[in-house]
Amino acid sequence: MNELIIHPVGALRGSVPVSGSKNAALPILIATLLCDGPSVIGNLPGIRDVTLTLRILARLGCTVEQMDDTTYRIDPTHASAPISAEPLTERLRASAYFLGAFLGRFGRGRIGRIGGCDFGGRPIDQHIKVLSALGATVLVTEDGVEVCSEELKGTSVSFDTVSVGATVNGILSAVRASGETVLYGAAAEPHIDDLIGYLNRCGANIRRAGQNEIRIRGVRRMRGCSYSVIPDMIEAGTYLIAGAATQGAVRVRGVNPAHIAPLTRKLKEMGADVDEEEQAVSVFAPGRLYGTRIETQPYPGFPTDLQPQMTALLCTCIGTGTVRENIWRHRFRYTEELRRMGANISVREDTATVVGGVLTGAEMTVPDLRAGAALLIAACAARGDSHLYDVGWIERGYEDFVGKMGMLGASVTPI
Ligand code: EPU
């Protein structure tokens, strides 16, 4: 699928099931390498990043078996350290997690260049900091990253900035190291806790000692286990925003409402009705919502991965909104595409100012995953048809996006 035609139908209404979390599934799949036996991982989202990760695991010698639509059994017993850099890692940001897993399992390994969405530079200095602190040598070349260590020893590490990826690598490399590792300034995202939950069920000894502190006591062996990945809070938030932008009523099922509280609080503030059940959230927009101020922050702040979708919503609102991006300062490339629809957006440094109004259908090119979702939302809320190109980005992180938008009544035709 490379192109979509979106024919706006007015308010989106209905209910969609939420798939497993991409950003939990990827580290958990990679962590299966650290066990001495097979793991059965359920609720995996049917997205390209998961397929790629499973392919990399298979190429490393893991036995990968599909049990049902969303469940895979991964047996790492016969896995071995890669001899050359795995080229598939270049298509995936989460491939950086193989560094921690390789160190914990083989004491060495290498990956190709790290892929993922382009936000104008994605440094890995904090990954290197934590891996080196545990005793690894990290070599970054033009072609990728290589790691090795004689022995990994527990230690204390204070991150200079909160990083999801560096926290994952810290956990993966420390889980089988000798002694205790303490990570200060660690990320607090629910997907980090999901990784911890999986590893602990395998026999690891990891606990959160405070919102941003994680203590890991190394263990010698870990068995595999059966584990189900948490629901995707970003996917859930995306459909709620689509409902709000089209003045509709959308219910997402199978989500933890606490995970998307930063979004639902904003939607209420903007004039939407929000109803939270134990495992579902509904949003109803009685008319155009009102502009507001958004500022992205690490969890439990407003997630950067809902920032583009929120900007699309602000384009449809009454009044002016501002969006300050504190995580990826250059995550505004998609605003040029929104302007093709007549959006009134100006970007200065890390802040976009959006004057709400009427959008008209246009031809747009998707620059990255969440931007793709944002452009689709804007197209559903516009007057007239839109054509969206390079939509493969969306398949990287959203399971059956076209089908689920269809459940809400949207007319989205793949070409
Ligand atoms: N950073 C550093 N040095 C590092 C690592 C990060 O300075 O060594 C900075 C980054 O430049 C950024 C901030 O720290 O300013 C946060 O980066 P983080 O490491 O947390 O991001 P990531 O691990 O590369 C994951 C998600 C992203 C999500 C961010 C922030 C995965 C596979 N990716 O990326 O998800 O935006 O955390 O929440 O989990 C997406 O799903 O669309 C996506 C981009």
Side-chain angles (χ1 to χ4, degrees):
M1 185 168 71
N2 196 43
E3 186 184 337
L4 294 175
I5 297 179
I6 298 109
H7 173 68
V9 293
L12 296 180
R13 292 180 199 282
S15 167
V16 274
V18 175
S19 301
S21 159
K22 166 176 89 74
N23 291 343
L26 303 177
I28 289 173
L29 283 175
I30 293 169
T32 60
L33 265 180
L34 289 163
C35 297
D36 295 317
S39 289
V40 176
I41 309 296
N43 202 30
L44 290 170
I47 55 173
R48 219 167 60 198
D49 277 11
V50 163
T51 313
L52 266 174
T53 305
L54 290 168
R55 274 176 68 192
I56 297 172
L57 288 169
R59 284 160 70 133
L60 290 166
C62 298
T63 307
V64 177
E65 277 175 87
Q66 183 162 12
M67 313 294 282
D68 63 37
D69 279 357
T70 63
T71 309
Y72 281 79
R73 180 178 184 274
I74 297 113
D75 185 350
T77 309
H78 301 294
S80 54
I83 296 161
S84 57
E86 166 57 62
L88 287 180
T89 58
E90 298 193 5
R91 302 203 212 155
L92 200 65
R93 178 67 187 174
S95 55
Y97 305 157
F98 279 105
L99 296 173
F102 285 162
L103 280 169
R105 172 74 193 269
F106 311 117
R108 69 193 168 86
R110 54 167 70 175
I111 59 169
R113 271 181 298 203
I114 300 166
C117 298
D118 176 9
F119 304 138
R122 293 180 73 171
I124 59 162
D125 57 300
Q126 298 304 302
H127 297 244
I128 296 173
K129 179 172 183 172
V130 70
L131 298 177
S132 310
L134 275 134
T137 304
V138 185
L139 186 67
V140 183
T141 65
E142 283 243 310
D143 302 325
V145 189
E146 205 174 325
V147 284
C148 66
S149 75
E150 290 281 308
E151 190 198 350
L152 294 167
K153 281 193 186 149
T155 185
S156 293
V157 182
S158 293
F159 291 114
D160 306 317
T161 183
V162 177
S163 160
V164 170
T167 302
V168 170
N169 258 330
I171 294 171
L172 295 182
S173 54
V175 75
R176 288 179 67 165
S178 59
E180 190 180 47
T181 300
V182 188
L183 304 177
Y184 296 103
E189 269 68 3
H191 27 284
I192 299 282
D193 287 313
D194 210 27
L195 171 67
I196 294 174
Y198 162 72
L199 289 168
N200 280 344
R201 193 173 292 178
C202 292
N205 184 348
I206 310 171
R207 67 182 174 91
R208 255 195 207 284
Q211 184 171 285
N212 294 103
E213 183 181 323
I214 297 175
R215 289 183 174 260
I216 306 146
R217 188 162 284 285
V219 293
R220 288 195 148 225
R221 297 175 71 82
M222 287 198 301
R223 52 188 185 273
C225 74
S226 287
Y227 197 80
S228 184
V229 170
I230 53 167
D232 196 311
M233 62 182 195
I234 303 300
E235 187 199 21
T238 300
Y239 292 116
L240 293 178
I241 294 172
T246 56
Q247 298 167 42
V250 166
R251 179 168 182 264
V252 288
R253 315 189 296 272
V255 64
N256 183 339
H259 292 172
I260 47 172
L263 169 68
T264 46
R265 274 196 297 270
K266 273 292 162 193
L267 291 175
K268 281 184 208 163
E269 203 183 293
M270 295 166 79
D273 290 335
V274 175
D275 184 38
E276 292 177 6
E277 298 160 67
E278 204 178 318
Q279 288 190 355
V281 176
S282 309
V283 66
F284 165 63
R288 284 173 70 196
L289 301 186
Y290 293 90
T292 187
R293 279 172 56 174
I294 310 288
E295 184 160 344
T296 66
Q297 297 289 356
Y299 192 84
F302 192 92
T304 173
D305 292 341
L306 286 176
Q307 179 263 99
Q309 301 89 313
M310 217 41 199
T311 304
L313 168 59
L314 288 172
C315 291
T316 69
C317 284
I318 297 167
T320 301
T322 58
V323 180
R324 182 159 179 204
E325 175 56 64
N326 289 310
I327 315 290
W328 306 113
R329 287 169 65 88
H330 301 291
R331 196 177 201 169
F332 281 121
R333 280 199 300 160
Y334 67 89
T335 55
E336 277 175 37
E337 303 298 316
L338 285 175
R339 277 193 213 103
R340 293 183 204 276
M341 304 185 86
N344 182 344
I345 309 179
S346 50
V347 178
R348 260 193 80 187
E349 296 179 356
D350 58 2
T351 302
T353 304
V354 187
V355 182
V358 176
L359 297 172
T360 45
E363 296 203 358
M364 294 171 285
T365 304
V366 173
D368 62 68
L369 166 62
R370 307 300 174 188
L375 297 179
L376 201 94
I377 290 170
C380 287
R383 287 189 189 151
D385 291 359
S386 291
H387 286 243
L388 216 53
Y389 301 103
D390 274 0
V391 295
W393 277 110
I394 306 177
E395 291 171 322
R396 277 196 38 211
Y398 288 95
E399 175 173 323
D400 189 19
F401 202 62
V402 171
K404 289 192 184 182
M405 289 299 280
M407 287 179 201
L408 299 177
S411 167
V412 180
T413 313
I415 305 288

